[in-house]
Amino acid sequence: MTFASAAHPALTTPNALTAADFAGWIQERGLYFAEKWDPRYQTVLSMHDPDEPALAGSVLWARHGKGTFVYTGLAFFRQLPAGVPGAFRLFANLLAGGHAAHAH
């Protein structure tokens, strides 16, 4: 797992994520990763399995009006029921859309 930018809001707000948050993810971390996207979208993560090319389309992020649009191919439906702490932390960050809870 590689962070496109360690300062990206999806990786910092409200939870400051580290590589440790991606340990323990169970098989099939994601599917249907984007292969092409509009330049207005930022990539957040890049990941790959051993001996495979890196895939940057697992989480795409764009500001839109007063909100944030997020596309993710990560398999939260597998990670959350398995109790993977880092998945909960990342999911909360994506729901927050880069806004701290007290900013609303």
Side-chain angles (χ1 to χ4, degrees), residues 6-87:
H8 193 283
L11 302 172
T12 60
T13 307
N15 300 297
L17 303 180
T18 68
D21 287 298
F22 296 93
W25 283 55
I26 63 171
Q27 185 177 5
E28 195 170 46
R29 292 172 294 183
L31 52 150
Y32 305 119
F33 290 179
E35 294 180 15
K36 292 190 251 181
W37 49 86
D38 187 280
R40 291 175 284 195
Y41 289 90
Q42 299 171 321
T43 58
V44 177
L45 303 168
S46 177
M47 63 181 68
H48 64 90
D49 289 326
D51 301 322
E52 295 289 330
L55 301 172
S58 63
V59 177
L60 302 178
W61 175 285
R63 295 287 186 198
H64 183 72
K66 294 181 181 182
T68 304
F69 179 86
V70 176
Y71 170 83
T72 182
L74 293 175
F76 286 105
F77 70 96
R78 293 195 187 280
Q79 308 312 318
L80 298 177
V84 178

